Amino acid sequence: MRRSCKVAVIGGGMSGLVAARELLRESHQITVFEKSHRVGGTWVYDPRVESDPVGLDPHRTKVHGSLYASLRTNLMRPLMGFSDYPFTGCDFEDTSKLKFPRHEEVLNFLEAFAADSGLMGFVKFGAEVVKVKRTSPDDELSASWMVKWVQEHQENIEHFEAVVICNGHYSEPRLPQIPGIDRWPGKQVHSHNYRTPEPYLNQVIVIVGKGPSGFDISVDVANAAKEVHIASRSLRFKAGKIPGMENIFEHEVVSHVDPDGRVHFADGFSVLADIILYCTGYSYHFPFLEINNLTVDDNRVGPLYKHVFSPRYGPYLSFVGITSATIVFLTSELQSKWIAQVLSGKCTLPSENEMMSSVKEMYDEMEEAGKPKHRTHWLYDKMEGYLDWLAAETGLPQIERWWFHMFDALLKSFISFGHGFRDKLEKMPYSNLLNEVK
């Protein structure tokens, strides 16, 4: 029997918006809580930075956004849209229309999506959720959740049958442990607090991390810095100056740092540095969630069945957008469809024991394969099967293969080309791009 639930959606970014749309399509009653004054989440550029540049001080002035001014996506336009709402300007016949959009374009796309989907009237703006707590006994089949939020300095409380958490995971800096860092005299900054290169004029900078943000920021900050040294775990590089880059050097990981300001790398090189800039990612963070049976351990949020439902509280507690190394917009859309249909009764979840067995099986497979715990929600090698499973579960046809072909081609090009990979790909015919997979 179809049912309609009263659902709280925590967050008005991409995941929250697509979750809201899918919940409305299944005739649920929704409220979206967004602590800023516009939709878009992480895609809203905020020039402010936090009072603690590395994000360790729990009492720091917090800024949600992590965008730097020059940011462009790592995915071409076709991969930045939803299955039935493509990104602006996609044209497979015109390579120039496949370019990597800037962050402003992504925000415009999301605002248009929210307006066209009729979502704006369901969003409470300036509403920061400070507590989510279950109020019905754990042994009851139905659920009741208390949501407390602050809006214009006023505390408010409302009860819901279900909660969908879509608060993103790009605002709580994740830092490595570097021997000697407590006595290192230079400045430390996490990429969460990087905006423009001007504050780094004539500085010697060590960038820790060689993911997408490490690539981008190294090129951007090099426009002002004296030297930029990237510490990398990759085995695919030759230590030294990066070809074509005047003042960017690549090294093995940082081995330790000295009180005189020197940074030592595992390849034997060392440099007197002014700044260490961490491009080391983010931690999942749910400070408002007051429940048992769910933890965050080394970026493993668990237990979660298929990265979405809490086995203990499913279907009444779910998460959208926890996964990474995937086609983010499409993944969040399919997760949202699944949640909406489970709540309406179109789909059913396995028993709690069966869901826990599935989670344990995933953990055991990771341990056997030697995968670190922080890669629990990293989908890349399982993405195709995962998205096809979600599509089948919600009654959709198999995902069109071009999504995966383009994603694979982009990843391989990123690894092959490194710095400047976007410029190289934008000059490449689409047919050649897909040949990168072969």
Side-chain angles (χ1 to χ4, degrees), residues 365-417:
E365 287 178 359
M366 287 187 63
E367 186 173 354
E368 186 176 336
K371 291 185 178 180
K373 190 177 291 186
H374 68 263
R375 284 288 180 90
T376 297
H377 306 293
W378 198 82
L379 277 188
Y380 173 66
D381 55 341
K382 298 183 180 295
M383 175 182 65
E384 191 168 336
Y386 179 74
L387 296 188
D388 281 340
W389 183 90
L390 286 173
E393 196 73 6
T394 53
L396 295 175
Q398 187 183 57
I399 304 300
E400 293 180 85
R401 299 297 99 176
W402 69 261
W403 290 88
F404 304 121
H405 294 161
M406 180 176 277
F407 187 84
D408 282 345
L410 289 173
L411 182 64
K412 290 184 178 181
S413 298
F414 175 75
I415 294 171
S416 298
F417 296 147

Side-chain angles (χ1 to χ4, degrees), residues 301-371:
V301 184
L304 288 182
Y305 177 61
K306 303 292 186 182
H307 310 283
V308 173
F309 284 104
S310 160
R312 185 70 189 91
Y313 301 115
Y316 302 107
L317 179 65
S318 57
F319 296 76
V320 177
I322 291 288
T323 48
S324 60
T326 185
I327 306 170
V328 180
F329 281 47
L330 180 63
T331 302
S332 291
E333 178 187 1
L334 293 172
Q335 291 173 338
S336 299
K337 288 180 184 292
W338 185 34
I339 292 167
Q341 291 188 20
V342 167
L343 287 173
S344 69
K346 272 189 182 179
C347 299
T348 57
L349 290 177
S351 68
E352 179 182 347
N353 286 339
E354 289 172 318
M355 288 191 281
M356 284 300 301
S357 294
S358 174
V359 174
K360 184 178 183 303
E361 182 180 348
M362 178 181 69
Y363 292 171
D364 289 345
E365 287 178 359
M366 287 187 63
E367 186 173 354
E368 186 176 336
K371 291 185 178 180

Side-chain angles (χ1 to χ4, degrees), residues 172-218:
E172 194 69 18
R174 179 179 168 90
L175 297 170
Q177 298 296 319
I178 297 177
I181 197 65
D182 290 344
R183 296 178 297 132
W184 192 73
K187 183 177 181 180
Q188 300 175 64
V189 181
H190 190 275
S191 60
H192 174 63
N193 290 300
Y194 177 84
R195 296 294 181 269
T196 62
E198 285 77 15
Y200 302 86
L201 184 65
N202 295 325
Q203 304 291 293
V204 175
I205 300 169
V206 171
I207 290 183
V208 179
K210 197 189 171 188
S213 63
F215 267 113
D216 284 354
I217 291 175
S218 64

Side-chain angles (χ1 to χ4, degrees), residues 108-296:
N108 290 340
F109 168 78
L110 290 173
E111 290 178 329
F113 172 78
D116 292 345
S117 302
L119 303 179
M120 299 302 286
F122 297 93
V123 183
K124 286 186 183 295
F125 289 104
E128 182 176 3
V129 173
V130 294
K131 183 181 290 188
V132 173
K133 184 176 182 179
R134 186 178 168 100
T135 56
S136 56
D138 279 358
D139 57 359
E140 284 190 10
L141 294 178
S142 60
S144 178
W145 296 86
M146 182 270 285
V147 175
K148 180 189 287 188
W149 74 95
V150 176
Q151 190 177 39
E152 296 181 352
H153 307 291
Q154 179 70 42
E155 281 194 354
N156 306 271
I157 290 177
E158 191 171 351
H159 289 82
F160 295 85
E161 293 172 83
V163 177
V164 183
I165 296 179
C166 313
N167 68 323
H169 48 90
Y170 295 105
S171 60
E172 194 69 18
R174 179 179 168 90
L175 297 170
Q177 298 296 319
I178 297 177
I181 197 65
D182 290 344
R183 296 178 297 132
W184 192 73
K187 183 177 181 180
Q188 300 175 64
V189 181
H190 190 275
S191 60
H192 174 63
N193 290 300
Y194 177 84
R195 296 294 181 269
T196 62
E198 285 77 15
Y200 302 86
L201 184 65
N202 295 325
Q203 304 291 293
V204 175
I205 300 169
V206 171
I207 290 183
V208 179
K210 197 189 171 188
S213 63
F215 267 113
D216 284 354
I217 291 175
S218 64
V219 175
D220 193 43
V221 76
N223 292 315
K226 180 180 179 182
E227 292 179 1
V228 177
H229 297 263
I230 305 172
S232 170
R233 292 185 180 278
S234 172
L235 300 177
R236 296 176 157 277
F237 74 94
K238 182 179 180 180
K241 182 184 286 189
I242 295 178
M245 301 293 172
E246 287 298 317
N247 58 343
I248 305 179
F249 304 81
E250 195 164 23
H251 308 281
E252 294 183 22
V253 295
V254 174
S255 60
H256 63 283
V257 295
D258 291 338
D260 65 355
R262 188 166 292 277
V263 175
H264 297 264
F265 302 91
D267 57 17
F269 187 85
S270 68
V271 63
L272 278 171
D274 301 296
I275 298 170
I276 294 178
L277 207 166
Y278 299 104
C279 296
T280 47
Y282 297 86
S283 298
Y284 297 98
H285 193 53
F286 314 103
F288 51 82
L289 191 56
E290 294 188 6
I291 62 167
N292 299 318
N293 307 103
L294 191 132
T295 60
V296 180

